[in-house]
Amino acid sequence: MSILITTVEIFVLIYSDNYMSHDEGYLRFFAFMSLFNTSMLGLVTSLNLIQIYIFLELVGMCSYLLISFWFTRPAAANACQKAFVTNRIGDFGLLLGILGFYWIMGSFEFQDLFEIFNNLIYNNEVHFLFVTLCASLLFAGAVAKSAQFPLHVWLPDAMEGPTPISTLIHAATMVAAGIFLVACLLPLFIVIPYIMNLISLIGIITVLLGATLALAQKDIKRGLAYSTMSQLGYMMLALGMGSYRAALFHLITHAYSKALLFLATKSIIHSMEAIVGYSPEKRQNMVFMGGLRKHVPITQIAFLVGTLSLCGIPPLACFWSKDEILSDSWLYSPIFAIIAWSTAGLTAFYMFRIYLLTFEGHLNVHFQKYSGKKSSSFYSIKLWGKEKQKIINRNFRLFPLLTMNNNEQPYTIGGKKEALITITNFGYKKAFSYPHELDNIMLFPMLILLLFTLFVGAIAIPFNQEGMHLDILSKLLTPSINLLHQNSNDFEDSYQFFKNVTFSVSIACFRIFTTFFLYKPFYSSLQN
Amino acid sequence: NYFPWLTIIVFLPISAGSLLFFLPHKGNKLIKWYTICICIFELLLTTYAFCYHFRLDDPLIQLAEDYKWINFFDFYWRLGIDGLSIGPILLTGFITTLVTLAAWPVTRDSRLFHFLMLAMYSGQIGSFSSRDLLLFFIMWEFELIPVYLLLSMWGGKKRLYSATKFILYTAGGSVFLLIGVLGLGLYGSNEPTLNFETLANQSYPVALEIIFYIGFLIALAVKSPIIPLHTWLPDTHGEAHYSTCMLLARILLKMGAYGLVRINMELLPHAHSIFSPWLIIVGTMQIIYAASTSLGQRNLKKRIAYSSVSHMGFIIIGIGSITDTGLNGAILQIISHGFIGAALFFLAGTSYDRMRLVYLDEMGGMAVSIPKIFTMFSILSMASLALPGMSGFVAELIVFFGIITSQKYFLKPKILITFVMAIGMILTPIYSLSMSRQMFYGYKLFNAPSSYFFYSGPRELFVSISIFLP
């Protein structure tokens, strides 16, 4: 777990060094990032409920500070508050759960908790309802942190922050904190079947919700946010089923793939900035993208690998983990399994939708027929001078380094002091600029992550029961309890394994093809 | 080793303050420097006295002094401190020094202003260190007049109204205090004994205790705001100059809590144990009520005032839970909230000084122009909502533990109370963050004056709070 965090951290730091180099708030950004790193590492190395609580809160605070990094945008201001309050609600539940358990057990240490708890359960001395309540409260903390179903609302809005933040916090690490919490407390939860059911239920709801919401997103980062939510649901589902190893494995693989995807997204956005300006409504809007394959090939490869990995295509990383979860879900409950499998297909679908919209086809900016939600804004790009306030984007193109503290788009009228005429001249030039590739420094971490994504799946190839990461985990906690593997040895039988595998892969491929069919003709029809 | 430390400490500010009037009227600088020097000297004196003469393990009263003052009443001038009072005294010293520093921009009638500050300083230390009930009462009353004057002369728009309200409320409460004091003193013996120690060992019939308790409670409830007797607080805080606010909110409120602990817990234990469930309930309600009301305030200082009320709720709960941990948590919260609240008020005041905007609607987007204040404010908001790593968290956590481990109550009410307290925990970030948000985020262009920064005060406050880690 620590390896995961530190490696992702390093890459994001390198990346954001370049990204933020022209930003005024550079210092602040790195201060917050370091604080976040500290909290995260503290979180995964704590053996104590109170310590975990402390670090969870700190992580929440760092997330607040980082989301609000460009705080002059009102959307960011609202988003960060939402994130913090939602996290606080979770922490409230967590605190109550901690206190409840303290009251019963009289201790905070994990070891003591588990021992005493097991004794109490076996001797039937404890009030079951109360214990269930406390455990569900503890779980509530994880729900908020990992953006599970009721408390997931902060995650898409959290994309207001800079993309390295999104990478770090909302793809790889902080949302993992919740999963980590549940995994730590899993020996506690296992004895209470209601809680396990609750966990898997919430997990599956999140999976479905995230996937369906991701289908309808226009914004790249939001789409990825929902996809994160969905994958987190998978992890939670796995935890609820008791297959602790699969959940953590998926956590690791997903973290790498998502980090890769987010960094690639950043490079895309960066290239789009050159065209459509600085406002995130435009530059993250997938509608305007398309056909970037020619312009940003390396990013495209990275994105493709990330997407394939996330969809569960062998031999990339997420395939192994997701497959483990999916096959475990068959053993747990058929309904969940069906939902999980179909959502895996949905995953493939929306991921490839994103990929195709971004990279294939032709650059949509040149098309005039797009009638999106803000049609006026679109027109303003092509037909300069129609919408006055959106022209301001042009300013930022011209003076990227001279803007005041990097605010995206001042929503007041104060900025439109410029005369329109000067702008239109520049507008002409812009139509012929192309999205450009990233600097090398930003490419480098992306490539490393790419490699990781390819090969991290090798950690726990199920031909051998013990994955490498199991050792790490068992150092931190008591040996894992893998409920389902005790019951069935489904990986000993290679044939069974391949059957499962092919089924899941075929679902994924089927969806991919569906996506192709749906989106390809969309483009070809628009070719003037 | 009988050096009258405490008397000196108590009397130094006010006597030095009276010297203020002899200073030349022209040139505020001299006055300010003089006051600050006095404060710092006093603080150093206090610290020295405490460091060298205070043994931490000794549970008894230390540095006790005992002079006969008014023979007729058998009224002793008794001062002494123990572990309970040492915290607030140090807090007082520290905060008052900073307050004097913060009051730098006050230029109107600065002699009187600083004199009143120093007078308050003495009064506070006196009340925290008095071992005699009547002395306590006198010091208590002594606080009122400076605050009234400070409020009415240097306040905001509605200052006369708030000042009058303040004085009526607190004086009304003090009547009950006087009755209680006299009753306690005169009871059970022919001569009035007002000594704390003697009184502590006395036992009263339960009914009488209850009556006394209620009397004291009303008086103390006004001071350390316990709903529903808190309504003077937002008005006063909203209108006072921010240094007064700081003093008020930090010290005076803590005097109320201190009084609760001292008088009610030490002297009237039976009644206390009867009343403590009610205290806890009231405290819980207070947290939530104040947090929700804070959301609806348009005035920035009123918002912070309500947050003070909300935090005081924690203190009350800590006092009401009859456990050592709860009491510890309450005391810690007293100190930590003293720091945090003072700092918040100070920042609000300085931003007001620069922007001249009181209502939150008009503010917005200030972070660009006053970045340092903004940073401090964020950090303090975090501290105020009990972020781990800051003192508030530890305090609240200990109070939580106090409730949980208290043997007196049954499970169900405890669960309910804990639950409700924790809801307060959710509400706190809502209002404090939205306060930050409204003030600092967003992008409003308006005439921002030069953002020069007043270095010493906030820096010290910041250092003090950050140092105050668990």
Side-chain angles (χ1 to χ4, degrees), chain A residues 44-118:
Chain A
V44 300
T45 54
S46 57
L47 287 175
N48 199 346
L49 267 181
I50 289 288
Q51 217 170 326
I52 276 199
Y53 178 73
I54 291 177
F55 284 117
L56 266 179
E57 286 252 25
L58 278 178
V59 162
M61 178 197 84
C62 291
S63 144
Y64 165 77
L65 290 171
L66 284 168
I67 295 176
S68 68
F69 185 67
W70 290 323
F71 47 75
T72 45
R73 298 185 54 231
N78 292 335
C80 67
Q81 187 165 343
K82 192 189 220 179
F84 193 78
V85 175
T86 322
N87 277 329
R88 237 320 154 78
I89 296 180
D91 291 336
F92 143 80
L94 186 63
L95 184 69
L96 285 180
I98 290 179
L99 289 174
F101 271 109
Y102 179 67
W103 191 76
I104 301 177
M105 320 280 181
S107 144
F108 285 120
E109 303 284 331
F110 282 141
Q111 296 281 48
D112 302 342
L113 272 180
F114 299 152
E115 286 167 14
I116 301 177
F117 194 61
N118 282 333

Side-chain angles (χ1 to χ4, degrees), chain B residues 230-386:
Chain B
H230 71 290
T231 45
W232 61 274
L233 187 78
D235 286 312
T236 317
H237 281 245
E239 299 308 321
H241 183 65
Y242 60 90
S243 52
T244 322
C245 270
M246 284 165 74
L247 264 183
L248 243 191
R250 296 327 111 203
I251 314 299
L252 290 179
L253 268 53
K254 309 309 174 283
M255 272 168 64
Y258 175 79
L260 263 179
V261 175
R262 268 271 183 257
I263 299 181
N264 290 1
M265 282 189 76
E266 281 192 21
L267 305 181
L268 307 165
H270 297 291
H272 184 65
S273 57
I274 296 176
F275 271 97
S276 50
W278 294 107
L279 270 184
I280 292 193
I281 293 179
V282 166
T284 328
M285 278 175 13
Q286 182 167 336
I287 298 179
I288 302 220
Y289 168 73
S292 343
T293 327
S294 173
L295 274 174
Q297 296 299 317
R298 283 176 59 219
N299 191 345
L300 177 64
K301 285 201 284 215
K302 275 195 187 168
R303 238 180 158 151
I304 305 180
Y306 272 110
S307 90
S308 293
V309 176
S310 180
H311 285 271
M312 290 303 290
F314 272 106
I315 299 181
I316 292 169
I317 292 183
I319 295 178
S321 81
I322 317 184
T323 50
D324 275 340
T325 27
L327 197 57
N328 279 342
I331 298 174
L332 194 59
Q333 174 81 316
I334 287 178
I335 301 179
S336 94
H337 180 60
F339 283 124
I340 297 175
L344 273 175
F345 270 111
F346 175 73
L347 288 177
T350 42
S351 56
Y352 171 73
D353 267 347
R354 282 165 180 73
M355 302 293 165
R356 295 286 158 204
L357 291 170
V358 173
Y359 292 112
L360 274 179
D361 315 344
E362 303 159 13
M363 295 192 220
M366 289 204 290
V368 179
S369 26
I370 40 176
K372 293 193 190 71
I373 294 186
F374 165 59
T375 327
M376 299 293 176
F377 202 89
S378 310
I379 297 178
L380 287 170
S381 305
M382 294 293 167
S384 156
L385 49 94

Side-chain angles (χ1 to χ4, degrees), chain A residues 70 72-73 273 278-280 283-284 393 396 405-410:
Chain A
W70 290 323
T72 45
R73 298 185 54 231
E273 258 171 30
Y278 221 38
S279 153
R283 66 180 188 171
Q284 284 170 215
N393 305 341
F396 290 108
N405 72 322
N406 202 27
N407 44 346
E408 308 287 277
Q409 164 94 359

Side-chain angles (χ1 to χ4, degrees), chain B residues 54-107:
Chain B
F54 193 75
R55 291 174 300 278
L56 283 170
D57 305 329
D58 197 338
L60 299 177
I61 310 302
Q62 309 192 17
L63 296 183
E65 297 151 21
D66 204 339
Y67 305 112
K68 244 178 157 40
W69 194 7
I70 304 180
N71 276 344
F72 180 67
F73 270 136
D74 231 4
F75 174 50
Y76 291 87
W77 172 268
R78 253 183 225 103
L79 299 175
I81 51 172
D82 63 351
L84 178 59
S85 37
I86 192 174
I89 292 183
L90 281 175
L91 178 72
T92 312
F94 192 65
I95 297 284
T96 316
T97 319
L98 291 176
V99 164
T100 325
L101 208 57
W104 208 259
V106 171
T107 49

Side-chain angles (χ1 to χ4, degrees), chain B residues 118-164:
Chain B
L118 289 174
M120 279 187 75
Y121 196 1
S122 323
Q124 283 151 12
I125 295 193
S127 73
F128 280 130
S129 56
S130 65
R131 303 299 310 157
D132 192 283
L133 258 186
L134 198 56
L135 188 61
F136 182 73
F137 173 70
I138 290 181
M139 289 299 176
W140 184 277
E141 289 306 305
F142 189 58
E143 287 298 310
L144 296 185
I145 313 243
V147 174
Y148 176 69
L149 284 173
L150 281 170
L151 187 55
S152 50
M153 291 180 71
W154 288 277
K157 280 193 204 140
K158 274 173 61 180
R159 56 183 187 260
L160 287 177
Y161 168 73
S162 337
T164 322

